[in-house]
Amino acid sequence: MITTGDIAQVRAIRWADPSLSWGLVPTMGYLHDGHLSLVRQARAENDRVAVTIFVNPTQFAPTEDLSTYPRDLERDLALLAAGGVDLVFTPDNTTMYPPGFQTKVTVEQVSRPLEGLSRPAHFQGVTTVVAKLFNIVQPTRAYFGQKDAQQTVVIRRLAADLNFNLEIIVGPTIREADGLAMSSRNVRLSPEQRAVATVLYRALHTAVSALRAGEHDSETLRALMRDTVAAEPLARLDYVSVAHLHTLAELDRVESGALFSLAVFFGNVRLIDNIVVEAA
Ligand code: PAF
């Protein structure tokens, strides 16, 4: 496994044999089994696998957790070497954003609702860095986790609109035994917060069960999620949503597929989760 922060070296390795397919797993490090499941999928579907580790400052607002975002490069590299990864790109901020940098990539509509309402500049930071990573690595396939549901919609739009010559693959959300979606931020929860953080998954399940029992009114389904979170004193709701799977617009009624999602604070740790319902 080669680890480098140098763009020219990444390109030289990637194009040493143009006949080989490459899978790319972009990450911000502090890897968990959600990332590693994407690495395993990329390993199975490509000749070579590249992982990027870069805590991208432009997708964090000044009030957010950039400085406390967990980092452990040594542990990450050991996990990736054990996972059969060929190349790890670990650029620094100046490599990604050199003096004079001034270009931003914006995906308009699907960046605005949900996370976009709470984190207005977030997706512009994500799409700018992901476009750069796509151009640097030029993978055959790029892998993202369903846990960041809106991010997958935004990145599919980015790849289609800017004609990136690659396939976007979305891997399933990987959960702890009690249902909590794996996230690098989970480590920042206190033991008490961690114990009740399952409230996201419970809220989603309450709403999906009600849908399965015949409740199609989205506002009733949202209220069920709100009430579940409100019953948990350590949790503070940011938003709940029942939205169209592709436009991400809020639905009045769930008549076919829908994205059920929510964001919840525990102290200053903000977690998100979602469930996709394909048919009502
Ligand atoms: O999902 C993430 O970890 C990040 O948003 C990504 C895609 C690596 C871009 O910084």
Side-chain angles (χ1 to χ4, degrees), residues 207 217-230 240 242:
D217 178 65
S218 300
E219 197 38 42
T220 307
L221 297 169
R222 286 184 207 102
L224 284 170
M225 291 197 274
R226 274 189 215 107
D227 292 349
T228 309
V229 176
V240 293
V242 177

Side-chain angles (χ1 to χ4, degrees), residues 9-242:
Q9 196 183 355
V10 170
R11 290 204 165 123
I13 293 167
R14 194 271 174 256
W15 290 111
D17 181 349
S19 71
L20 298 180
S21 63
W22 278 78
L24 168 67
V25 185
T27 82
M28 298 205 299
Y30 211 75
L31 304 178
H32 50 68
D33 207 45
H35 299 111
L36 298 178
S37 74
L38 296 177
V39 168
R40 283 192 288 275
Q41 194 176 348
R43 182 69 283 161
E45 295 174 356
N46 300 276
D47 298 315
R48 299 282 183 271
V49 176
V51 173
T52 63
I53 300 178
F54 178 60
V55 183
N56 174 36
T58 66
Q59 67 189 74
F60 292 79
T63 51
E64 290 179 350
D65 57 349
L66 174 62
S67 62
T68 53
Y69 196 83
R71 292 164 166 87
D72 191 343
L73 184 59
E74 210 178 312
R75 176 178 159 277
D76 289 346
L77 294 179
L79 288 168
L80 295 177
V85 168
D86 300 283
L87 174 62
V88 188
F89 179 47
T90 54
D92 59 19
N93 285 348
T94 317
T95 301
M96 293 303 278
Y97 302 112
F101 185 92
Q102 53 191 278
T103 300
K104 288 178 178 171
V105 180
T106 305
V107 173
E108 299 277 357
Q109 281 134 357
V110 289
S111 295
R112 284 193 203 116
L114 304 173
E115 290 295 286
L117 292 174
S118 299
R119 309 181 70 190
H122 172 68
F123 283 118
Q124 186 177 67
V126 171
T127 42
T128 301
V129 80
V130 168
K132 286 172 67 70
L133 295 172
F134 285 174
N135 278 326
I136 292 166
V137 180
Q138 299 188 337
T140 317
R141 300 179 186 84
Y143 295 79
F144 297 88
Q146 174 61 31
K147 210 252 326 174
D148 297 304
Q150 185 175 11
Q151 175 169 276
T152 69
V153 174
V154 169
I155 288 173
R156 280 192 197 283
R157 195 68 259 161
L158 166 80
D161 288 356
L162 296 188
N163 306 97
F164 281 103
N165 188 22
L166 49 79
E167 201 182 336
I168 303 292
I169 313 273
V170 176
T173 302
I174 305 298
R175 299 182 180 281
E176 304 287 355
D178 64 0
L180 177 65
M182 288 195 187
S183 162
S184 304
R185 290 186 167 96
N186 291 351
V187 71
R188 297 187 50 227
L189 298 168
S190 70
E192 296 74 22
Q193 291 167 337
R194 168 62 190 86
V196 299
T198 51
V199 72
L200 283 92
Y201 191 55
R202 284 188 276 119
L204 290 166
H205 261 278
T206 304
V208 172
S209 303
L211 174 69
R212 295 280 176 243
E215 180 56 73
H216 292 259
D217 178 65
S218 300
E219 197 38 42
T220 307
L221 297 169
R222 286 184 207 102
L224 284 170
M225 291 197 274
R226 274 189 215 107
D227 292 349
T228 309
V229 176
E232 180 43 66
L234 293 181
R236 180 166 55 85
L237 184 68
D238 185 0
Y239 68 80
V240 293
S241 163
V242 177

Side-chain angles (χ1 to χ4, degrees), residues 240-256:
V240 293
S241 163
V242 177
H244 188 279
L245 280 176
H246 305 301
T247 66
L248 304 181
E250 290 301 315
L251 295 171
D252 290 335
R253 289 184 61 77
V254 182
E255 302 295 5
S256 55

